[in-house]
Amino acid sequence: MTRLLIRDLAQVVTPAAGAAPLRGADLRAVRVTEDAFVLCDGGRIEAVGRMSELSAGQMSELSSGRMSELSSGRTRELSAGRMRELSAERMSELSALGADVEEIDGRGLAAVPGLVDCHTHACFAGNRVNEFSLRAGGAGYEELHAAGGGILSTVRATRAAGLGALTDATSRHRGWMRAHGTTTFEAKSGYGLDHDTELAQLAAVRAAGGVPTWLGAHTVPPEFPDADTYLDFLLADVLPEAAQIAEAADVFLERGAFDAGQARRYLTACRDAGLVLRLHGDQFTESGAIPLAIELGARSVDHLEATGPDGVRALAGSDVVGVLLPTSALFLGRPLPPGRALVDAGAAVALATDFNPGSAFSESLPLACSLACTQMKLAPEEALSACTVNAAHVLGRAGRIGRVEPGYEADIVLLDAPDWRHLAYHLAGDVVHTVIEGGSVTWARGA
Ligand code: NIG
Ligand code: FE
């Protein structure tokens, strides 16, 4: 497998505290290494350090193909100047030796962990641009849904698409996310609401490289008389197969969708089938999502635009992660979730896009970071931890992704700025320069 050396980076940045999920002061603690390198081998990060620590020994180990034995703890001293003198010459020597080492010039760039989008609805067909126009003219999101539009219009398009088209659409959306620095994404079903399309959605998410979540309980489709009858069908006919493909289950606990009793019944059955539990909660109303998430030991409760002080306190005292979706609040013109209050109270929070055709047609985690800082008053450090290590925890991958550290998967984003805080500072800007997944470049600006 190709080895990769990213050298002369202005900065390498990673969440500093060891645990996951991070909360309190740990959420804000990042390690910044200036004038730095990252060395990757076999799809993993082997070493991170200052250029001055990248040793002559390391360079010759590279050339003799022993890179896998390197680690940041085994570096020897070599001056930055000497390193620069050596590197151009050495690298051409290396390729002459067939050592298969790829080099990226990181001058002027900052490296952050590949971003993790832990909440999307990226598997869908069609679009809702007409609804967008209607909303611009004053129509309400819930009102359109109640009239059979909204989510149900995407259900009609998704049912008509078939597995091939759904896989193509999800892969296309994954490409959009990748161009904004997302290297791992979750995506939910919930636009099928029948046996075949729910399972096709989950299969399409997997085929497109995503982490599938079963959102059978998104809304009640028109062929069922009520929510309870629909849940009977879901749990008897879809759950057994959905649990084979999905990693988690999710429910939309909200007026006009499912109430707390129905959500409890659905999630309990899903937990018994081995799925991790998540909830869409407190998007428009506080309908008991936080107490239910805590009661059932859910991994996360997502949205929280309507969460009040009691909910903030309860969530902060629990292990449930609060997933903040500021692009969704912005897109619907809703109040932002109480992100600052949650962090101050000690809650573990993650940041995600909620990318979907109706309530958040945005695939950009950097934009979510900007909104987290400008609208919710999170520090850039908190925003970074929230969409890397904490999002990785939500997806059960905290030991593998979300940090630029030896042993982690070599998923790295190079930002087109010498200071990593441009991730949030550059509002809706072209901040991503290069995306590296598993030690290979998968996206580069202008390529
Ligand atoms: O997270 N609120 C429920 N579900 C999605 C939106 C789905 C849609 O509008 O298509 C959300 O906002
Ligand atoms: Fe959502």
Side-chain angles (χ1 to χ4, degrees):
M1 201 183 253
T2 306
R3 289 161 290 177
L4 178 70
L5 174 65
I6 314 166
R7 47 180 288 272
D8 289 309
L9 285 157
Q11 294 179 331
V12 175
V13 183
T14 190
L22 300 176
R23 56 178 88 226
D26 285 348
L27 192 69
R28 209 181 181 121
V30 300
R31 186 182 314 121
V32 180
T33 309
E34 312 259 349
D35 190 19
F37 73 91
V38 181
L39 195 59
C40 311
D41 185 24
R44 298 205 173 266
I45 296 168
E46 284 293 325
V48 181
R50 290 181 63 86
M51 286 303 291
S52 59
E53 295 162 347
L54 186 60
S55 68
Q58 247 177 357
M59 293 306 289
S60 60
E61 286 186 46
L62 279 173
S63 65
S64 59
R66 289 171 52 211
M67 183 186 278
S68 62
E69 292 171 25
L70 300 176
S71 74
S72 56
R74 297 180 59 234
T75 54
R76 276 158 275 173
E77 288 301 318
L78 179 76
S79 75
R82 177 84 181 113
M83 172 63 216
R84 283 195 196 92
E85 264 169 46
L86 272 179
S87 55
E89 190 191 326
R90 177 65 76 185
M91 281 301 160
S92 51
E93 244 176 66
L94 288 176
S95 36
L97 287 168
D100 200 17
V101 178
E102 194 188 328
E103 185 186 7
I104 294 178
D105 179 355
R107 275 176 296 183
L109 310 179
V112 297
L115 306 180
V116 179
D117 198 340
C118 67
H119 181 139
T120 87
H121 306 252
C123 180
F124 62 86
N127 65 68
R128 307 245 285 274
V129 70
N130 290 332
E131 174 184 319
F132 179 74
S133 291
L134 292 172
R135 285 202 300 103
Y141 176 82
E142 288 184 283
E143 183 192 341
L144 290 160
H145 175 68
I151 295 171
L152 289 172
S153 70
T154 300
V155 170
R156 288 188 283 275
T158 303
R159 283 179 176 178
L163 177 60
L166 288 177
T167 304
D168 289 350
T170 312
S171 300
R172 180 164 179 248
H173 299 153
R174 184 208 177 142
W176 298 354
M177 292 188 250
R178 179 180 277 142
H180 292 272
T182 295
T183 53
T184 301
F185 75 103
E186 177 261 20
K188 303 169 197 299
S189 67
Y191 292 131
L193 312 182
D194 64 22
H195 174 273
D196 290 357
T197 317
E198 281 296 306
L199 295 173
Q201 278 201 280
L202 296 174
V205 172
R206 252 203 206 290
V211 180
T213 296
W214 184 45
L215 179 56
H218 196 186
T219 193
V220 180
E223 61 273 22
F224 285 87
D226 55 51
D228 290 304
T229 316
Y230 175 56
L231 287 181
D232 291 342
F233 155 76
L234 280 183
L235 299 180
D237 291 11
V238 189
L239 172 60
E241 287 160 88
Q244 302 304 308
I245 315 176
E247 296 191 11
D250 198 342
V251 56
F252 187 19
L253 202 183
E254 188 55 74
R255 66 182 174 202
F258 299 90
D259 67 25
Q262 290 157 345
R264 180 185 288 105
R265 181 175 157 226
Y266 170 81
L267 291 174
T268 304
C270 290
R271 186 180 60 187
D272 292 347
L275 293 169
V276 163
L277 305 184
R278 306 186 54 185
L279 294 88
H280 278 68
D282 293 3
Q283 184 178 10
F284 301 106
T285 57
E286 283 191 291
S287 301
I290 290 177
L292 185 63
I294 296 169
E295 172 194 324
L296 297 179
R299 181 69 57 73
S300 75
V301 56
D302 308 36
H303 271 291
L304 309 176
E305 289 91 321
T307 301
D310 290 346
V312 168
R313 260 192 303 279
L315 199 56
S318 80
D319 290 332
V320 181
V321 177
V323 179
L324 310 171
L325 309 165
T327 40
S328 176
L330 180 78
F331 200 77
L332 294 185
R334 302 273 311 155
L336 274 287
R340 184 72 255 156
L342 282 163
V343 172
D344 286 344
V349 299
L351 258 181
T353 61
D354 198 22
F355 172 62
N356 75 74
S359 72
F361 197 49
S362 169
E363 64 278 18
S364 173
L365 276 171
L367 177 58
C369 287
S370 292
L371 297 172
C373 296
T374 59
Q375 309 303 303
M376 293 192 284
K377 304 301 176 196
L378 264 61
E381 291 81 359
E382 293 167 333
L384 181 74
S385 297
C387 65
T388 54
V389 58
N390 278 12
H393 168 79
V394 170
L395 299 184
R397 284 159 170 75
R400 288 165 46 192
I401 56 172
R403 298 176 192 269
V404 186
E405 264 185 30
Y408 277 72
E409 289 179 18
D411 294 349
I412 300 162
V413 174
L414 307 184
L415 302 178
D416 196 5
D419 185 314
W420 70 272
R421 292 172 298 177
H422 283 244
L423 177 69
Y425 169 51
H426 199 164
L427 181 66
D430 275 345
V431 71
V432 174
H433 183 282
T434 301
V435 178
I436 296 156
E437 293 173 73
S440 301
V441 173
T442 53
W443 187 89
R445 166 92 53 81

